[in-house]
Every structure is written in structure tokens, then in C-alpha cells.
């Protein structure tokens, strides 16, 4: 550490580094200890504690008349909390909102905000406030010697260091805040459940957290929404002090409409409606036709969702909305607080309750000790009064005749200075009215109380029993039923975008330059479409609008993107490269569409190929994935659709008119690779591009194969192809003269995909 230097002018000098470090550390500790984190004893941050204490000093108890909030805020910032009035008022507002605090500490009159818009509260000059009866739990023992008092910010007044809370308020109302390098998010809980767990821990200090959670089920937010976090995860949160909770809205079906009756904590109904409306406008929610907000004073939350028809599954719709809107919300839990040692730490449930119990035992002991001192002082005075009564004439004579009666009284009656002072302070009338019976009766009562107090103070067990009795009474007075029910629910799932898309027949067309578009229906001739200057038809495929498009390029890589949002064929489309990122110079050689289990024969013109499921060819990567391994000097051919596997055959044709047919079952099913030999193409001739496989198709018994050669074509039925049947990998037989320079082969009858 840098040594402190004293300059020539006598002032302390620090290096900038030391000053900055010290200043940042001081600020950090100030934020942590005096602003952001609550104390485990009373569960309050300094500003909250000061607001409550200032209100009690103003006499604003639950039975008092309301006073302007500005008056309270003025006292708070003027006497105890020298910060902005708006910040102090906002903290006060939160303590008054029954939708923000599980057990509000401030009773407000006027506009204190609404659940839909908590920030809509009126200015402090318009609102009035007082403390709730619940606040008495924190303040009731304040004047009974139960707390330490510290100077306020300017040293002119004193304020309580902490309030003598009779219950673990830290868990009842919770807290949230951001400090320097740490944060806190303590959820609220139910009073009866907290007291049950506390009493159990008082009886058995080593009670495991799992046993405590039999009483303390879960947090209890000031809303009727459901907590859907599994019980084992909640237990883990209480054990570690960290985790995440999920809440889901409560809804019911009424005359076909979906009625939302409860929202997660701090969720705005108007925001929910806005989120749903955005989906409707984006045409991502076609099953909903109307939204209404029917909330009023009797029904604070009543949001109406009108489905398009009675056939809409309400559970599936709400599952989607919960997954895509704030109807389901996660809440971070971080049980970070200032302990009774004055240090911030994340604590488990049993640590919190044990620390509070320790604090409460000490508080009760201080209260009892304070009362014992009062009793002993009163007994001491009563002893003096009894002496005065038995010597009343002498006392009156001394008071009347002596200039300094106190020393004379002490000498004559053998009383202490305190007793003599008390006797002299009595009016003569009251002195004359002293009665031995009353004095001795009060002495007996106080002596019995003294004995009781002494026994309590001498036994920790008796103090614990007293605390349990007090907690039980408080539970009966302030306890209520749980608001947030804990329910096991299945995970909410959003609709797949494709589920919302109509399954219409479409024809996807790709040009030579890689421009893509989609035409409605299967009855169009893609070659008749108009193309840009210098561009021409390249590929087409008939599918459905809910099918993904899979393209294979000249390098053997496949790419996937949805088909429902392709540009219309009325225009000239858009570049495919706007949706995918193929290698430089790659061209598009094949087009596929269909369901995930649709199969295709993927092949190279070297005469090798394999059967693949469309699902294996798909990828979310814009750069695609390598599927087909190409032999040297070979190219990709358009994959062949397998409409049915039973009795289907593979027909391959070379450019020189050699045709070979064999059973489809002879080819393997692969996800990627080179594949097996389909038709024999000599390597040397392929290398010189003299011969290659010009096309391959899958022919079913009811199909017709069409062979194109220039302007000529030949139609071959399934039984006509028997003469070309052979073993896989053979050279095949020559087609008739005039068809020995083949351009392509096609299946004439199209089998529409389901």
C-alpha cells in the first residue's frame, strides 16, 4: 500500500491511483451497505427503514388520519435520507402497492398506480398516506430498548440502525436491487408458511432445507398466477440461494373465448395485448381474430382472446402465447443480503432463518432486559413510597419546614436519592392519598413479573418458547392464504412457423444465374416464364408451400431455406445468394422439396450415388453442409425423387445413349458420401469429358420414362424398360438409333407429395 505523504503545505498527499481505488471502494461499500441491499434482521433497505421510521415519528399509525405524502417525504429527506425526493417517494409508492408488495407497509389514499401501469401514480402533493397495521410488526418494540441508535447524516438526530422486526420480513416482502458488483432478487413469501418453517427451525435447529420446504412450499407473489417451476428446482434454489422461477398466467375458456384472469408478477396487461396484436399483424397468429381488455375494479385482470373458430385447440394456442409473450415469465432469484455480521452474502433458506432467529432472540432478550430494568426501577420507587406512607406526617413536616428537604429525607427515612426525588416530585395531595394496599398490591404484581422476566432471561429455551408463541399469534392475526399456486405444467411450446402456413401446391424455379421464385400450382411450365436478359431456366421442382427448399450446388453442398416466403413468379425473383452463402464460383445443380422422410437419389455424373432422406440433407447453416463427395472431373446431377420404394427401379442413362435399369434396393441409404456405382463410366472417358451419366430417375411400375435427344423424344413404359435391366454398375445397353445423344430423362407422370 502506498505510504501517506505530507506536503510542504501540511496537507496529506495521495497518488491518483490510491485515491481512485479508495474512492471507488468507498462508493462501492456505500452502495452495497447503505442503498441497494436489505438487512436480514428487518428485510429493509435504508431508505425503506427511514420512510417507515419517519412516518412513525409523524404519528402516522394505521389508526391515524392520512397526511400528505409530501410531508412524509420532506421529513425523510430532510432528517434521515439526503437524496432526491422523487426517489424517496417512489420507494414509498412501492411499499403501498398491493400488487408490488405481498404485505404492504404503507396505506395510500389517492392514485398510487395500477397493476397495468405501476408508474402511473400521482405526484406526492396529491396523495395521502399512513402506515399499515403490518408495519407495527416492525415498529412495535422500537421504544423498548431493542435496537441500537446511530446518528443521522448530519449528526443532529438519531435513527434506528435496524428495526426490531417480529417476523422474517426479509422473506415476506422480498427485495430487488443492483449494487456494485452484486445484485439481489429476493422473492416474497407467504406469512403462514414462513412462520411455520421458522417455528420448525426454532424447535430443531438442524432441520434440513427439504424438511423446511414442507412448510415453505415456494415463493408467494402478490398475484394469482401459477408458479410452474418444478419442486426439485425450487428446493435447489433454497439450498444454493440462486436460481430461476417461472410463472404462467391463469386462463379459462368461457363461451369459446379464452379469458386470462391472472398475469405473472409485474406483467402489464396492455403489453400482453400489444405482443399478441403484433403477432396477428405479422400474420403469425391466424387462429385469433379479436382481442379485448375487459378489466375493471371487480376484475383487475380480464383479457379476452377470441379464437377464429371452436375447432382451435385452446391449450395449444395458449401454450404458444405463453412461449412467445410475457404470459410466461422467468424471475431471477438471488438471496443476497446484509447479514447480522454486517457483510453482504448470498444465503440459503436455513441460513437466513437461523440468522433472523439469532437476531430475534437477542432482540427479545434486550426487550425483556429493558422491561426488567423498568420493573426494578418501579419496585425501587414503590419501596420509597411505602416508607413515605408509613412516615407521612414526618415527610410533610420536612417538606414544609426544610429548605433542602432531600438530604433530610434521606437521613431521616433511610431512602435513596432516587426515592427521595420521587417522593418530593409527588404532589402533596397525591402524597396524602398514598395507600399501603395499593402500593403492596403493585409490588406483588411487579415482583411476580420480575420473577417471570428473570426466569425467561436465564433460559434460552424459555425465550424460544416465548418467540414461538408470539409468532403463532402473529400468524393468526396477519396470516392469509397463498396467492400464487404451485402447479406442475408441461413446457410451453411455440408454434412451428410452418404449422401456421397453408399447405398449397407450388412450383419453385431457379435460373442459370441463381435467381429463385415460386409459382402457385403444379400446372405451369417453368420454361415459359420470363427471365432477365442473358438468363434462362435452370431448375424447377413441384412441392408444397410448407415444404423447405433444399438446393445442392456444384461442390456437393446442400442448403436449406423455407419456401413459403419466396418471391412470386410474377416477378423475376431474387438471388438465392441472399438466403445462403455458397462457395465462390459454385453453381446450383439440383432442387429438392418434400416432407422430412421424403427420399431422393443423390448422384454424380461419374455414375455414383446413394439414397438419402431429405431430413439428412437439410441444414440451418447458411454455408450449407457437404453431402455428396464428387469423384475427379465429375459434376452433380439433379437428384431423383423416390415416390415409392416398393418395386421401384433405378434408370441411368449416359450421354452416349447407354441405359441401365436395376432395383432400387441395391443402392445404400446414406446421409453423405460418394455412394455406390450406378452405371459404369470409364474413368479416362470421364476425365476427358467424353462420357458421363446425363441423368438418373426412379421408375415405379405405373410410371413412363421419357428420353430426350435433341428435338426427338422416346416414351418407355415400365415393361419396355425390361430389356435394359441388368446388374448395378454395368455399362448398360444402347438406346435405338437417333437417341444415342441423350440430353435428359424425365418421369412423365408426377406423383404429388402428401
Amino acid at each position: 500500500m502506498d505510504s501517506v505523504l505530507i506536503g510542504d503545505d501540511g496537507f496529506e498527499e495521495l497518488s491518483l491511483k490510491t485515491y481512485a481505488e479508495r474512492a471507488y471502494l468507498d462508493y462501492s461499500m456505500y452502495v452495497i451497505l447503505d442503498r441497494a441491499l436489505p438487512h436480514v434482521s428487518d428485510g429493509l433497505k435504508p431508505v425503506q427503514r427511514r420512510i417507515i421510521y419517519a412516518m412513525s415519528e409523524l404519528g402516522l399509525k394505521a389508526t391515524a388520519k392520512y397526511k400528505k405524502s409530501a410531508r412524509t417525504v420532506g421529513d425523510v429527506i430532510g432528517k434521515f435520507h439526503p437524496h432526491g425526493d422523487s426517489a424517496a417517494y417512489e420507494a414509498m409508492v412501492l411499499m403501498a402497492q398491493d400488487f408490488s408488495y405481498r404485505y404492504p407497509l404503507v396505506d395510500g389514499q389517492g392514485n398510487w398506480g395500477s397493476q397495468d401501469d405501476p408508474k402511473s401514480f400521482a405526484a406526492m402533493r396529491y396523495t395521502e398516506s399512513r402506515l399499515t397495521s403490518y408495519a407495527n410488526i416492525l415498529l412495535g418494540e422500537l421504544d423498548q430498548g431493542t435496537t441500537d441508535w446511530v446518528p443521522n447524516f448530519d449528526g443532529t438526530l438519531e435513527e434506528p440502525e435496524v428495526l426490531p422486526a417480529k417476523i422474517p420480513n426479509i422473506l415476506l416482502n422480498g427485495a430487488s436491487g443492483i449494487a456494485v458488483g452484486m445484485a439481489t432478487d429476493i422473492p416474497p413469501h407467504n406469512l403462514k408458511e414462513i412462520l411455520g418453517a421458522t417455528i420448525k427451525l426454532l424447535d430443531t435447529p438442524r432441520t434440513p432445507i427439504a424438511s423446511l420446504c414442507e412448510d415453505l412450499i415456494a415463493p408467494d407473489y402478490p398475484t394469482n398466477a401459477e408458479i410452474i417451476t418444478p419442486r426439485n428446482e425450487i428446493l435447489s434454489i433454497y439450498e444454493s440461494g440462486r436460481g430461476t422461477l417461472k410463472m404462467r398466467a391463469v386462463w379459462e375458456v368461457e363461451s369459446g373465448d379464452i379469458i386470462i384472469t391472472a398475469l405473472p408478477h409485474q406483467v402489464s396487461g396492455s403489453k400482453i395485448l400489444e405482443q399478441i396484436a403484433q403477432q396477428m399483424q405479422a400474420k403469425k397468429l391466424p387462429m385469433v381474430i379479436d382481442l379485448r381488455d375487459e378489466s375493471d375494479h371487480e376484475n383487475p385482470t380480464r383479457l379476452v382472446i377470441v379464437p377464429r373458430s371452436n375447432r382451435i385447440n385452446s391449450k395449444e394456442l395458449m401454450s404458444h402465447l405463453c412461449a412467445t409473450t410475457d404470459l410466461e415469465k422467468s424471475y431471477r432469484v438471488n438471496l443476497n443480503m446484509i447479514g447480522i455480521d454486517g457483510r453482504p452474502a448470498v444465503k440459503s433458506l436455513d441460513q437466513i432463518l437461523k440468522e433472523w432467529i439469532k437476531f430475534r432472540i437477542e432482540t427479545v432478550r434486550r426487550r425483556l432486559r429493558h422491561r426488567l430494568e423498568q420493573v426494578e426501577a418501579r419496585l425501587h420507587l414503590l419501596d420509597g413510597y411505602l416508607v413515605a406512607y408509613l412516615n407521612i406526617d414526618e415527610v410533610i413536616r420536612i417538606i414544609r419546614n426544610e429548605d433542602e428537604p432531600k438530604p433530610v429525607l434521606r437521613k431521616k427515612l433511610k431512602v435513596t436519592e432516587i426515592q427521595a426525588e420521587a417522593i418530593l416530585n409527588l404532589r402533596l395531595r397525591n402524597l396524602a392519598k398514598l395507600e399501603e394496599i395499593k402500593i403492596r398490591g403493585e409490588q406483588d404484581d411487579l415482583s411476580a413479573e420480575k420473577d417471570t422476566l428473570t426466569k425467561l432471561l436465564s433460559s434460552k429455551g424459555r425465550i424460544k418458547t416465548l418467540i414461538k408463541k408470539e409468532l403463532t399469534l402473529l400468524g393468526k392475526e396477519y396470516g392469509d392464504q397463498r396467492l400464487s399456486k404451485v402447479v406442475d405444467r408441461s413446457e410451453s411450446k411455440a408454434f412451428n412457423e410452418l404449422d401456421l402456413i397453408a399447405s398449397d401446391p407450388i412450383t419453385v424455379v431457379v435460373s442459370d444465374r441463381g435467381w429463385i421464385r415460386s409459382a402457385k400450382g403444379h400446372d405451369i411450365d417453368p420454361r415459359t416464364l420470363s427471365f432477365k436478359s442473358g438468363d434462362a431456366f435452370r431448375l424447377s421442382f413441384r412441392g408444397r408451400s410448407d415444404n423447405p427448399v433444399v438446393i445442392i450446388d456444384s461442390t456437393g453442398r446442400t442448403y436449406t431455406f423455407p419456401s413459403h416466403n419466396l418471391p412470386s413468379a410474377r416477378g423475376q425473383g431474387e438471388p438465392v445468394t441472399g438466403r445462403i452463402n455458397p462457395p465462390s464460383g459454385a453453381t446450383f445443380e439440383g432442387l429438392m422439396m418434400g416432407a422430412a422422410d421424403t427420399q431422393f437419389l443423390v448422384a454424380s455424373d461419374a455414375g455414383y450415388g446413394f439414397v438419402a432422406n431429405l431430413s439428412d440433407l437439410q441444414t440451418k447453416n447458411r454455408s450449407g453442409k457437404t453431402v455428396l463427395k464428387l469423384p475427379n472431373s465429375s459434376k452433380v446431377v439433379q437428384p431423383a425423387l423416390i415416390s415409392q420404394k416398393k418395386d421401384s427401379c433405378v434408370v441411368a442413362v449416359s450421354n452416349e445413349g447407354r441405359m441401365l435399369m436395376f432395383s432400387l434396393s441395391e443402392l445404400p441409404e446414406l446421409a453423405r458420401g460418394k455412394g455406390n456405382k450406378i452405371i459404369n463410366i470409364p474413368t479416362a472417358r470421364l476425365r476427358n469429358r467424353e462420357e458421363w451419366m446425363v441423368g438418373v430417375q426412379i421408375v415405379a411400375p405405373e410410371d413412363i420414362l421419357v428420353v430426350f435427344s435433341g428435338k426427338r423424344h422416346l416414351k418407355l413404359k415400365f415393361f419396355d424398360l425390361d430389356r435394359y435391366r441388368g446388374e448395378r454398375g454395368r455399362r448398360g445397353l444402347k438406346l435405338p438409333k437417333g437417341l444415342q445423344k441423350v440430353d435428359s430423362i424425365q418421369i412423365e407422370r408426377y406423383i404429388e407429395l402428401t
Side-chain angles (χ1 to χ4, degrees):
M1 187 174 177
D2 294 349
S3 58
V4 177
L5 301 175
I6 306 297
D8 296 335
D9 53 1
F11 291 103
E12 180 182 335
E13 293 181 354
L14 294 174
S15 67
L16 182 61
K17 178 176 178 294
T18 304
Y19 173 78
E21 287 178 352
R22 191 178 296 177
Y24 183 74
L25 182 61
D26 290 345
Y27 171 74
S28 302
M29 295 310 297
Y30 162 72
V31 172
I32 292 169
L33 300 177
D34 291 333
R35 281 183 64 181
L37 298 189
H39 202 282
V40 70
S41 58
D42 57 9
L44 299 174
K45 299 178 185 180
V47 64
Q48 297 169 331
R49 188 179 301 117
R50 287 161 179 166
I51 289 170
I52 292 170
Y53 176 64
M55 292 182 74
S56 70
E57 286 294 284
L58 285 169
L60 295 175
K61 296 181 179 179
T63 54
K65 290 184 178 180
Y66 293 94
K67 283 187 181 178
K68 286 287 185 185
S69 302
R71 171 77 183 278
T72 301
V73 172
D75 266 32
V76 172
I77 66 174
K79 294 180 178 180
F80 308 111
H81 197 72
H83 296 273
D85 58 349
S86 59
Y89 181 53
E90 191 165 334
M92 184 177 170
V93 168
L94 284 173
M95 291 192 289
Q97 293 175 338
D98 58 1
F99 49 84
S100 295
Y101 266 47
R102 184 64 178 83
Y103 300 96
L105 293 161
V106 176
D107 179 12
Q109 187 170 266
N111 179 12
W112 289 80
S114 64
Q115 185 173 345
D116 198 52
D117 189 6
K119 299 284 187 181
S120 63
F121 50 86
M124 58 186 168
R125 61 183 178 272
Y126 299 121
T127 62
E128 296 177 338
S129 58
R130 64 184 180 187
L131 292 170
T132 61
S133 60
Y134 175 83
N136 193 52
I137 292 176
L138 307 177
L139 295 164
E141 299 173 351
L142 191 60
D143 58 351
Q144 298 178 29
T146 53
T147 189
D148 294 326
W149 294 80
V150 295
N152 70 336
F153 65 92
D154 61 1
T156 58
L157 297 168
E158 286 191 328
E159 60 178 320
E161 189 173 26
V162 293
L163 297 181
K166 298 178 185 178
I167 53 177
N169 185 60
I170 185 75
L171 291 172
L172 292 175
N173 277 317
S176 63
I178 300 172
V180 178
M182 62 179 67
T184 183
D185 289 284
I186 305 170
H189 292 79
N190 183 270
L191 188 143
K192 283 185 176 179
E193 294 179 6
I194 288 289
L195 296 189
T198 306
I199 291 171
K200 185 177 283 188
L201 206 58
L202 275 165
D203 288 330
T204 313
R206 293 187 178 180
T207 304
I209 293 176
S211 181
L212 294 177
C213 287
E214 293 174 2
D215 293 280
L216 183 58
I217 302 171
D220 188 20
Y221 291 89
T223 172
N224 293 115
E226 298 171 344
I227 296 173
I228 61 170
T229 305
R231 293 296 300 274
N232 61 320
E233 292 185 22
I234 295 173
L235 180 61
S236 175
I237 290 171
Y238 286 135
E239 288 174 343
S240 65
R242 288 190 175 94
T244 303
L245 285 168
K246 276 189 178 180
M247 292 196 81
R248 187 178 292 177
V250 175
W251 59 276
E252 59 189 24
V253 178
E254 198 178 283
S255 303
D257 296 342
I258 299 170
I259 313 296
I260 299 170
T261 56
L263 296 173
H265 183 50
Q266 294 179 332
V267 170
S268 165
S270 59
K271 187 179 179 182
I272 293 291
L273 293 178
E274 184 182 340
Q275 290 173 334
I276 299 173
Q278 285 176 352
Q279 293 190 39
M280 293 170 67
Q281 290 170 0
K283 297 182 179 179
K284 294 182 178 180
L285 207 60
M287 62 285 294
V288 176
I289 59 171
D290 192 21
L291 296 172
R292 294 195 304 273
D293 187 353
E294 297 182 355
S295 306
D296 53 29
H297 293 293
E298 293 182 1
N299 302 290
T301 301
R302 185 178 170 86
L303 307 180
V304 183
I305 300 172
V306 183
R308 186 171 293 278
S309 71
N310 293 330
R311 292 174 295 180
I312 303 294
N313 190 315
S314 301
K315 289 184 178 179
E316 290 183 3
L317 173 59
M318 289 305 295
S319 177
H320 168 77
L321 292 177
C322 286
T324 56
T325 69
D326 286 344
L327 287 173
E328 183 176 305
K329 194 172 181 181
S330 296
Y331 299 87
R332 185 177 64 178
V333 178
N334 184 16
L335 305 181
N336 189 10
M337 65 198 70
I338 301 170
I340 55 177
D341 59 356
R343 297 181 178 180
V346 176
K347 303 179 187 295
S348 61
L349 175 64
D350 60 336
Q351 287 176 324
I352 296 170
L353 293 179
K354 282 177 181 177
E355 283 203 30
W356 183 84
I357 288 170
K358 187 177 178 181
F359 161 78
R360 184 60 186 162
I361 289 172
E362 180 58 28
T363 302
V364 171
R365 185 175 277 116
R366 291 178 69 167
R367 186 189 80 198
L368 295 174
R369 212 178 285 126
H370 178 78
R371 177 57 185 164
L372 181 60
E373 290 172 359
Q374 287 180 326
V375 169
E376 288 176 341
R378 181 63 180 169
L379 283 170
H380 185 64
L381 291 181
L382 289 174
D383 289 340
Y385 289 156
L386 189 59
V387 172
Y389 170 76
L390 296 173
N391 300 276
I392 187 67
D393 293 335
E394 183 68 14
V395 170
I396 294 171
R397 188 191 65 76
I398 292 171
I399 294 172
R400 283 179 175 176
N401 298 330
E402 298 293 335
D403 293 333
E404 295 290 336
K406 188 189 291 186
V408 179
L409 277 175
R410 292 189 64 187
K411 186 178 179 181
K412 291 279 188 181
L413 303 181
K414 304 287 193 272
V415 294
T416 65
E417 185 175 350
I418 295 172
Q419 289 172 330
E421 187 70 34
I423 293 168
L424 291 172
N425 286 336
L426 280 176
R427 290 183 180 179
L428 192 60
R429 181 183 296 176
N430 293 341
L431 190 62
K433 285 184 176 180
L434 285 176
E435 295 180 23
E436 185 179 4
I437 296 175
K438 287 184 178 180
I439 295 172
R440 292 196 183 279
E442 189 177 352
Q443 279 182 323
D444 293 341
D445 293 341
L446 290 175
S447 296
E449 187 180 353
K450 181 182 176 181
D451 292 340
T452 303
L453 292 170
T454 305
K455 286 180 182 177
L456 284 170
L457 286 167
S458 64
S459 171
K460 191 175 180 180
R462 286 192 175 97
I463 290 178
K464 283 187 175 181
T465 302
L466 176 62
I467 292 172
K468 284 193 293 184
K469 287 180 180 177
E470 290 176 349
L471 291 177
T472 304
L473 289 172
L474 288 170
K476 291 178 180 178
E477 185 176 356
Y478 296 100
D480 57 0
Q481 297 301 312
R482 164 174 283 276
L483 296 179
S484 306
K485 293 181 180 178
V486 183
V487 185
D488 289 330
R489 299 288 189 194
S490 57
E491 185 181 356
S492 57
K493 294 181 180 179
F495 290 138
N496 189 324
E497 192 176 7
L498 296 176
D499 296 339
L500 306 175
I501 299 167
S503 182
D504 299 321
I506 59 170
T507 302
V508 178
V509 183
V510 179
S511 71
D512 276 338
R513 292 185 176 178
W515 285 64
I516 192 169
R517 47 187 156 167
S518 169
K520 292 182 179 180
H522 290 165
D523 54 351
I524 69 156
D525 185 357
R527 298 176 185 274
T528 62
L529 298 174
S530 64
F531 295 87
K532 287 180 176 289
S533 178
D535 203 0
F537 170 80
R538 176 84 174 180
L539 302 166
S540 70
F541 199 91
R542 296 179 177 125
R544 308 197 75 83
S545 55
D546 56 348
N547 295 153
V549 176
V550 180
I551 287 182
I552 185 167
D553 69 7
S554 54
T555 67
R557 300 180 71 84
T558 59
Y559 311 86
T560 310
F561 48 85
S563 63
H564 68 272
N565 57 3
L566 289 173
S568 170
R570 294 173 183 172
Q572 294 177 331
E574 66 179 32
V576 180
T577 50
R579 295 170 179 257
I580 58 176
N581 298 326
S584 180
T587 57
F588 303 116
E589 303 296 335
L591 194 61
M592 295 168 278
M593 293 179 70
D597 58 350
T598 304
Q599 292 188 318
F600 285 85
L601 172 58
V602 183
S604 64
D605 66 1
Y608 289 85
F610 58 89
V611 175
N613 288 323
L614 192 62
S615 58
D616 294 329
L617 306 179
Q618 295 179 31
T619 176
K620 293 180 180 179
N621 194 343
R622 284 176 61 96
S623 299
K625 70 174 181 179
T626 302
V627 170
L628 181 62
K629 185 179 179 181
L630 294 171
N632 292 335
S633 304
S634 66
K635 298 179 180 179
V636 177
V637 299
Q638 164 68 38
L641 172 67
I642 302 172
S643 57
Q644 66 177 59
K645 294 188 72 174
K646 188 179 179 182
D647 300 328
S648 291
C649 292
V650 180
V651 177
V653 179
S654 73
N655 62 316
E656 292 189 343
R658 290 184 176 272
M659 180 181 286
L660 175 68
M661 185 175 81
F662 58 89
S663 175
L664 176 61
S665 59
E666 295 183 40
L667 284 179
E669 290 187 16
L670 303 172
R672 63 180 65 193
K674 176 183 175 181
N676 288 10
K677 186 178 284 188
I678 298 173
I679 189 171
N680 185 13
I681 306 292
T683 305
R685 289 180 63 79
L686 178 69
R687 189 186 308 117
N688 297 326
R689 300 300 294 176
E690 295 175 357
E691 187 178 359
W692 61 89
M693 186 177 75
V694 74
V696 63
Q697 291 290 350
I698 309 299
V699 186
E702 63 271 19
D703 291 338
I704 298 173
L705 182 73
V706 185
V707 181
F708 293 92
S709 176
K711 293 183 178 180
R712 299 183 65 184
H713 68 274
L714 175 67
K715 293 185 178 181
L716 298 169
K717 293 182 180 179
F718 192 78
F719 62 82
D720 296 327
L721 297 170
D722 274 343
R723 66 184 300 268
Y724 298 99
R725 190 184 290 271
E727 295 181 8
R728 179 184 62 79
R730 297 292 185 175
R731 287 283 284 160
L733 296 178
K734 284 273 190 176
L735 286 165
K737 289 184 179 181
L739 293 167
Q740 294 182 1
K741 288 185 178 181
V742 180
D743 297 321
S744 65
I745 56 175
Q746 290 181 13
I747 302 295
E748 187 172 83
R749 191 172 75 88
Y750 176 74
I751 306 298
E752 189 173 285
L753 298 177
T754 57

